[in-house]
Amino acid sequence: MTSPIRTERHDNVLVVISDNPPVNALGQAVRAGLKDAIEEALSDDAVEAVVIRCDGQTFFAGADITEFGKPPVGPNLPETLDAMEASDKPVVAAIHGTALGGGCEVALACHYRVAVPSAKLGLPEIKLGLIPGAAGTQRLPRLVGAEAALPLVVGGNPIPAKKAEAIGLVDALVGADSLEADAIAFAKSKIGQPVPRSSEGKANEDGVRDPDLFDRFRASQARKIRGFDAPNAAIAAVKAAGELSYEDGVKKERELFMELMSGTQSAAMRHYFFAERAANKIDDVPKDTPLIPIKKVGVIGAGTMGGGIAMNFLSAGIPVTIIEMAQDALDRGTGVMRKNYENTAKKGRMTGEQVEQAMGLLTPTLSYDDLADCDLVIEAVFENMDVKKEVFAKLDSVVKQGAILASNTSYLDVDEIATATKRPGYVVGLHFFSPANIMKLLEVVRGKETRHDVLATVMKLAKKIGKVAAVSGVCPGFIGNRMLSKRQEQANALIMEGANYWDVDDVLLDFGFPMGPFQMGDLAGIDIGWHRDPSKVTTIREALCAAGRFGQKNGKGFYDYDEARNRTPSDEVKQIIADFAAREGKEQRDISKDEIRERLLYPMVNEGAKILEEGMAQRASDIDVVWINGYGWPLYTGGPMFWAQTIGLDTVVAGLERYDLPVSAHLRSAAGGSGKFA
Ligand code: NAD
């Protein structure tokens, strides 16, 4: 096999070139080739400097993730990089594309780094529940300081070359079209000078002078890193860089890395990494299916969802025509959209010009005729079958042939909606989540007649507007809400049997959800869908509404809220629940947090198994993608199906049986077989 690494001589400079498409991942052959190339440079007196660069679209963009979990084959990356850094002849990294993870560590082990302006550098290991494992946490702070290193190591987002230059990670920006020549010239200019080694740098003393900076940083990230192991390990590693010798720091990094690598969180996050990519594939839709060009989008309804949905397309530069029933609703809807954009601009995440650009692509209208030339129309009107069918029949008569007609319905039968048209093949569900301009998930609901080109187009479009798509078949509530209703059923049952409703919320918070079902109810508004008749009380929610408890919006729902929106359990609500339970003859008992957790989560896994069995989800990992992106299931557990496998499917079955809850055939057979969902 030919090596992906080759060398070329340019006078006294040896240029080492990697050609390992698509992203120059640092697999074994690349590492071995790099090590050999450095040895070649050192053993040849005519070579006085080295440049390392990559062919193709990017500098080394990371480790070869397919090697994870397999027995290691040397040379490993740390020893390769140590050999590189030990050279007395200057070694220059010439960076284009993205120097990520191991690629950034290669750059750190070089004595100098030059980059084209479009290049990015970063250490994204944290996103797989890991920290850098080839001395990145030790070289980086020594080179740029602990304060500048922390966001890179703990946040995991790459930074542009210019920022990298500003913090001292890049020595010089070079011409976009002259990277190699400029890097060679740069290398020549350093010949004869003592080489600077990152491992010997002193910039990390900022963390020794001001050790509080680590706690300050941790506090600033508290919400983002809650529950995750890797960020604390990453902070500890960067801190160690200031406290320990380089050799001991590297040992510390290795210890922390190994602990994370063998833990369940990283396994879960690596599972998710592949799950998200898999979810974008539809098994029976060929890769080369022609796409329908989407140049103009129509949105029906400018309510909570319609406005948010429209913003996704406007932000991606796609014109949107939005339609309402009356002018005031239209004005209100577009007003909310503008306000949302302006708030983003206030936070500095958008310029005023970009706000105008996005809003400039919006055409508000009251006439369906204005939708005629749209390539995709998304309906987001009231959740009512008759209304939806009426809208689809109208769309069918005005929108051009070949256009996609989509519904944002949460529960309704997309196949039935399609019968209102003469083009059921072009009808699909596009289930966005609230707030639709922010939530990542897009559940694509595949009707029984939905065409391949329609599916391929919406999957591609999802990516374009920054969503993570997963496909569901047609069933009530699809994947996400169907499983949610099982959790809600148990949440309601538990409080009727004596569980404190705040305990139910707290159990889910402790598990890693951003909030529990009763907090969620308060946030969304308890009065959503309420019939507004205080004398008609058949549910706890109706009782709360009758008592004027509408949720956060009026300061009281399940909880009482102070000005800062801190919640306190309410005596009034306790009484309402107790009265309800008494009326229904439900005996009250103490219910442990373990029981609460198991009864909330195990039925969801069981429902997920049924969804799989019925072919409503293509794969178990798609269900994980739905729950992580749409409902705040903690990423570090890998999603409900992966989590169930981690704790043991037999444990889930035993738990369901203990509480006398149904166990599906599919769950039982997976538990009795491989212990995994196929
Ligand atoms: P909403 O009541 O806020 O908005 C619906 C809007 O549609 C209203 O402004 C109404 O005036 C308008 N409308 C109704 N009929 C119309 C017609 N024939 N032509 C033009 N406009 C019309 O409701 P929403 O929360 O945005 O929900 C819309 C859809 O999205 C529903 O199917 C709902 O199930 C689904 N959905 C809602 C959420 C959510 O969290 N709110 C999440 C996912 C999906």
Side-chain angles (χ1 to χ4, degrees):
M1 208 178 74
T2 54
S3 169
I5 300 288
R6 68 179 193 279
T7 56
E8 285 172 8
R9 277 287 292 280
H10 292 257
D11 307 328
N12 52 351
V13 177
L14 186 75
V15 179
V16 180
I17 303 156
S18 170
D19 182 13
N20 186 31
V23 295
N24 286 302
L26 287 152
Q28 192 275 335
V30 172
R31 300 192 301 267
L34 281 176
K35 197 150 181 270
D36 290 348
I38 290 297
E39 273 159 27
E40 178 189 335
L42 291 179
S43 61
D44 185 343
D45 288 345
V47 171
E48 294 186 89
V50 180
V51 165
I52 298 178
R53 73 162 184 86
C54 291
D55 275 346
Q57 61 187 28
T58 178
F59 195 73
F60 308 104
D64 184 346
I65 193 168
T66 60
E67 287 182 352
F68 280 24
K70 292 188 190 150
V73 184
N76 64 29
L77 192 57
E79 68 187 88
T80 308
L81 300 191
D82 287 348
M84 204 177 269
E85 193 188 45
S87 161
D88 286 327
K89 302 177 182 180
V91 181
V92 178
I95 302 167
H96 75 297
T98 48
L100 295 183
C104 189
E105 290 177 297
V106 171
L108 283 164
C110 292
H111 306 123
Y112 302 97
R113 290 144 294 277
V114 300
V116 298
S118 61
K120 288 186 172 171
L121 293 90
L123 293 167
E125 287 82 353
I126 206 91
K127 305 211 166 170
L128 296 179
L130 296 170
I131 59 171
T137 68
Q138 300 305 300
R139 285 197 175 99
L140 180 66
R142 286 176 165 81
L143 182 67
V144 306
E147 190 153 18
L150 280 171
L152 274 163
V153 183
V154 182
N157 293 322
I159 55 170
K162 198 161 174 197
K163 172 93 192 284
E165 188 192 24
I167 65 170
L169 173 55
V170 159
D171 297 288
L173 297 184
V174 297
D177 301 319
S178 52
L179 175 62
E180 184 181 83
D182 291 355
I184 291 171
F186 184 94
K188 282 184 177 171
S189 76
K190 300 298 178 189
I191 291 171
Q193 298 179 20
V195 294
R197 297 187 173 92
S198 306
S199 65
E200 295 166 358
K202 297 267 182 278
N204 59 345
E205 285 173 3
D206 62 341
V208 180
R209 280 192 307 273
D210 175 18
D212 288 348
L213 75 83
F214 298 97
D215 286 338
R216 285 200 305 276
F217 178 79
R218 197 191 322 270
S220 74
Q221 303 296 307
R223 249 186 58 182
K224 258 196 222 150
I225 66 180
R226 186 175 80 95
F228 287 87
D229 292 338
N232 282 319
I235 294 170
V238 174
K239 193 158 190 239
E243 293 167 344
L244 305 177
S245 68
Y246 177 73
E247 287 68 27
D248 287 344
V250 169
K251 268 192 218 137
K252 176 83 182 171
E253 176 192 273
R254 181 107 307 248
E255 260 167 46
L256 292 164
F257 176 87
M258 293 311 292
E259 211 173 295
L260 293 169
M261 187 59 137
S262 58
T264 56
Q265 289 204 355
S266 175
M269 290 168 77
R270 279 177 276 142
H271 156 77
Y272 176 75
F273 178 87
F274 290 111
E276 186 180 314
R277 279 146 190 81
N280 206 259
K281 297 190 185 76
I282 309 180
D283 288 339
D284 62 332
V285 175
K287 244 181 133 178
D288 56 356
T289 304
L291 302 179
I292 301 167
I294 305 292
K295 299 211 178 68
K296 192 172 166 193
V297 172
V299 173
I300 321 230
T304 311
M305 294 305 289
I309 291 170
M311 288 175 73
N312 287 300
F313 296 98
L314 298 176
S315 302
I318 302 173
V320 175
T321 301
I322 192 162
I323 177 168
E324 257 295 344
M325 293 194 292
Q327 191 64 44
D328 59 336
L330 191 59
D331 292 345
R332 207 173 328 121
T334 53
V336 171
M337 291 167 68
R338 172 170 283 281
K339 208 163 186 174
N340 281 338
Y341 275 132
E342 282 169 355
N343 284 340
T344 309
K346 260 190 223 143
K347 289 183 198 140
R349 293 205 298 262
M350 229 178 152
T351 64
E353 200 182 321
Q354 285 168 324
V355 173
E356 295 314 319
Q357 236 167 31
M359 287 306 287
L361 290 170
L362 182 68
T363 310
T365 181
L366 296 175
S367 163
Y368 272 74
D369 293 337
D370 292 339
L371 299 174
D373 63 341
C374 287
D375 304 297
L376 161 70
V377 180
I378 304 172
E379 163 279 311
V381 303
F382 305 131
E383 184 76 344
N384 174 299
M385 182 55 89
D386 292 337
V387 179
K388 302 257 187 213
K389 277 174 137 174
E390 202 184 302
V391 167
F392 271 74
K394 223 183 284 176
L395 286 179
D396 194 34
S397 69
V398 296
V399 182
K400 70 180 181 192
Q401 288 304 312
I404 301 173
L405 306 181
S407 173
N408 181 48
T409 178
S410 310
Y411 287 93
L412 300 175
D413 183 337
V414 173
D415 289 327
E416 188 178 341
I417 295 175
T419 62
T421 73
K422 288 191 226 44
R423 48 174 126 170
Y426 285 92
V427 175
V428 67
L430 290 182
H431 185 208
F432 289 82
F433 287 70
S434 182
N437 53 320
I438 294 178
M439 293 294 287
K440 279 272 179 203
L441 180 65
L442 179 62
E443 228 176 359
V444 171
V445 185
R446 176 181 191 167
K448 61 176 187 288
E449 300 205 38
T450 309
R451 293 162 53 107
H452 282 180
D453 55 353
V454 169
L455 289 167
T457 300
V458 296
M459 295 309 276
K460 181 85 193 240
L461 190 63
K463 262 196 179 165
K464 182 158 185 188
I465 60 172
K467 299 291 180 203
V468 175
V471 179
S472 170
V474 176
C475 57
F478 317 122
I479 295 172
N481 283 343
R482 177 169 163 179
M483 287 166 69
L484 179 66
S485 63
K486 294 294 159 191
R487 191 182 85 179
Q488 193 62 43
E489 229 171 76
Q490 288 302 310
N492 294 341
L494 280 160
I495 61 172
M496 291 294 276
E497 292 167 36
N500 295 318
Y501 65 87
W502 56 95
D503 281 344
V504 173
D505 282 342
D506 287 349
V507 159
L508 291 181
L509 277 178
D510 290 346
F511 186 75
F513 280 95
M515 63 178 76
F518 301 108
Q519 288 173 281
M520 188 73 180
D522 279 357
L523 181 69
I526 296 186
D527 57 335
I528 285 190
W530 181 43
H531 46 58
R532 302 199 185 270
D533 179 357
S535 67
K536 222 171 84 193
V537 173
T538 56
T539 64
I540 290 175
R541 279 179 87 104
E542 284 170 359
L544 295 187
C545 288
R549 306 190 68 98
F550 300 146
Q552 279 197 21
K553 64 174 105 170
N554 74 338
K556 51 186 190 169
F558 279 96
Y559 298 92
D560 291 328
Y561 292 89
D562 65 14
E563 274 98 76
R565 299 207 166 176
N566 294 313
R567 66 192 164 110
T568 334
S570 143
D571 288 335
E572 185 183 8
V573 176
K574 279 186 236 173
Q575 196 55 52
I576 289 175
I577 295 172
D579 291 348
F580 240 89
R583 223 166 71 187
E584 303 215 340
K586 287 263 187 267
E587 227 169 273
Q588 303 287 289
R589 64 186 172 93
D590 284 338
I591 300 186
S592 72
K593 287 200 165 182
D594 282 343
E595 176 174 343
I596 294 176
R597 189 182 58 253
E598 291 167 2
R599 282 180 56 186
L600 291 174
L601 302 184
Y602 291 176
M604 294 178 61
V605 175
N606 186 58
E607 199 62 22
K610 282 167 73 177
I611 285 170
L612 275 178
E613 188 174 19
E614 294 166 20
M616 291 296 140
Q618 295 189 86
R619 33 188 107 76
S621 62
D622 284 11
I623 299 176
D624 293 332
V625 168
V626 165
W627 267 83
I628 286 171
N629 290 290
Y631 300 84
W633 186 290
L635 170 62
Y636 53 75
T637 68
M641 307 311 267
F642 186 84
W643 170 75
Q645 289 172 182
T646 310
I647 62 166
L649 298 186
D650 47 355
T651 306
V652 176
V653 169
L656 288 165
E657 284 174 341
R658 193 161 56 247
Y659 303 118
D660 218 6
L661 292 166
V663 180
S664 73
H666 192 63
L667 175 58
R668 202 178 283 285
S669 83
S674 64
K676 297 211 179 322
F677 293 111

